[in-house]
Amino acid sequence: MSIIIKTESEIEKMRIAGKLAAEVLEMIAPYVVPGVTTDQLDKICHDYIVDVQKAIPAPLNYHGFPKSICTSINHQVCHGIPSEKKLKSGDIVNIDITVIKDEYHGDTSKMFCVGEVSQHARRLVNVTREAMFLGIEQVKPGATLGDIGHAIQKHAEANHFSVVREFCGHGIGKKFHEDPQVLHYGKAGTGETLQAGMILTIEPMLNLGKRHVKVLADGWTAVTKDRSLSAQWEHTILVTATGYEILTLRQEEM
């Protein structure tokens, strides 16, 4: 594996990119309401990233992806393509934002509950968020990638949810996806050892039903095979000398 340890100046650029990505999620929140289309959300985010932040939406044209953000609704696991589909009360939707500023990437996603959602949907959303933070809390020099995956899997399965295995977190920097791969399941004490200066994403996807997923004919949208609900949260994390720093933290999380 060729894991890139970031320099101080690179870390500073990653902090800026991460902050911008977080700000897009803060900006879009009031627009995520019943009746809005995911295309409209995409356009609002695109214009904000380009015109206000003077940054680049990383997903647009990435390996042919046609939009500037990913919107994954209900049983969609990840990489949902914004469309004319209107959100309705009871939907849960993940909005995944990656911006490029001065060549460096900031990557983050958040679940939104649209209108009144069911108790089991809200519980899935909340437990997935808890699982992500339990994974993040493992991050420090000398810890392993397996420690992160194990903490996430343990919390998910204790709550009777399944962990998607086909998609994972990743190193990030000048490239959208770098080494290492960050699995959201696994055995503590195994895998690559973390060192200060590594930057990676932790982005667990948990399903209400079985873990199995399939990718639709559009080549992007991943859905649960059993059509059960899925939830995902994501942050970009810097390994510091003493622990971790969340580069994509939003105001509401401080």
Side-chain angles (χ1 to χ4, degrees), residues 55-69:
I56 299 165
L60 186 60
N61 301 320
Y62 180 78
H63 295 308
F65 191 81
K67 299 287 180 171
S68 295
I69 67 173

Side-chain angles (χ1 to χ4, degrees), residues 101-122:
K101 184 75 171 180
D102 294 333
E103 299 187 312
Y104 286 84
H105 291 73
D107 189 2
T108 185
S109 83
K110 173 184 173 177
M111 293 300 298
F112 292 87
C113 293
V114 184
E116 289 299 311
V117 310
S118 67
Q119 202 176 342
H120 63 268
R122 193 172 290 279

Side-chain angles (χ1 to χ4, degrees), residues 74 89-93 110-130 155 159 161 206 208 229-233:
N74 295 334
S89 186
D91 284 342
I92 59 172
V93 58
K110 173 184 173 177
M111 293 300 298
F112 292 87
C113 293
V114 184
E116 289 299 311
V117 310
S118 67
Q119 202 176 342
H120 63 268
R122 193 172 290 279
R123 189 168 161 271
L124 173 66
V125 166
N126 291 340
V127 169
T128 307
R129 184 171 180 274
E130 290 163 8
H155 190 65
N159 284 280
F161 297 133
L206 304 191
L208 196 58
L229 292 176
S230 187
Q232 179 188 23
W233 294 78

Side-chain angles (χ1 to χ4, degrees):
M1 266 199 242
S2 52
I3 296 172
I4 299 166
I5 302 299
K6 308 296 189 286
T7 65
E8 250 337 295
S9 68
E10 287 178 311
I11 290 168
E12 200 40 57
K13 287 183 176 177
M14 290 293 288
R15 281 195 183 102
I16 292 164
K19 185 170 187 291
L20 293 178
E23 285 171 358
V24 179
L25 284 178
E26 291 170 341
M27 178 279 302
I28 201 64
Y31 298 95
V32 186
V33 292
V36 73
T37 70
T38 49
D39 252 347
Q40 288 170 316
L41 297 176
D42 177 73
K43 181 170 185 349
I44 295 164
C45 289
H46 175 91
D47 291 349
Y48 184 79
I49 293 165
V50 173
D51 299 336
V52 178
Q53 296 185 333
K54 309 295 182 201
I56 299 165
L60 186 60
N61 301 320
Y62 180 78
H63 295 308
F65 191 81
K67 299 287 180 171
S68 295
I69 67 173
C70 297
T71 51
S72 305
I73 307 164
N74 295 334
H75 71 291
Q76 295 177 342
V77 176
C78 61
H79 304 154
I81 301 172
S83 70
E84 286 303 304
K85 185 179 171 67
K86 288 182 177 174
L87 295 179
K88 59 188 190 302
S89 186
D91 284 342
I92 59 172
V93 58
N94 176 275
I95 298 182
D96 194 340
I97 304 290
T98 309
V99 303
I100 307 169
K101 184 75 171 180
D102 294 333
E103 299 187 312
Y104 286 84
H105 291 73
D107 189 2
T108 185
S109 83
K110 173 184 173 177
M111 293 300 298
F112 292 87
C113 293
V114 184
E116 289 299 311
V117 310
S118 67
Q119 202 176 342
H120 63 268
R122 193 172 290 279
R123 189 168 161 271
L124 173 66
V125 166
N126 291 340
V127 169
T128 307
R129 184 171 180 274
E130 290 163 8
M132 173 189 66
F133 278 113
L134 286 168
I136 290 170
E137 284 165 14
Q138 306 309 309
V139 174
K140 61 177 189 286
T144 67
L145 290 175
D147 297 341
I148 298 170
H150 175 74
I152 290 168
Q153 182 180 9
K154 190 175 160 193
H155 190 65
E157 292 174 355
N159 284 280
H160 309 291
F161 297 133
S162 60
V163 181
V164 171
R165 300 188 175 212
E166 286 79 0
F167 302 96
C168 59
H170 50 89
I172 186 166
K174 258 194 173 178
K175 283 191 181 161
F176 199 156
H177 298 93
E178 299 178 352
D179 283 336
Q181 292 196 329
V182 183
L183 304 182
H184 302 118
Y185 61 93
K187 200 169 163 213
T190 64
E192 196 74 32
T193 301
L194 302 180
Q195 353 172 9
M198 287 170 64
I199 298 180
L200 41 88
T201 71
I202 296 177
E203 47 181 304
M205 289 144 264
L206 304 191
N207 297 343
L208 196 58
K210 294 193 165 75
R211 68 171 182 83
H212 307 288
V213 307
K214 63 179 180 182
V215 176
L216 299 183
D218 62 26
W220 285 101
T221 310
V223 299
T224 55
K225 276 192 178 172
D226 60 8
R227 293 188 68 83
S228 65
L229 292 176
S230 187
Q232 179 188 23
W233 294 78
E234 174 182 17
H235 273 311
T236 298
I237 311 297
L238 164 68
V239 185
T240 66
T242 55
Y244 64 87
E245 179 184 335
I246 302 174
L247 302 182
T248 45
L249 204 64
R250 298 182 299 283
Q251 290 295 323
E252 70 202 47
E253 297 176 302
M254 289 178 187

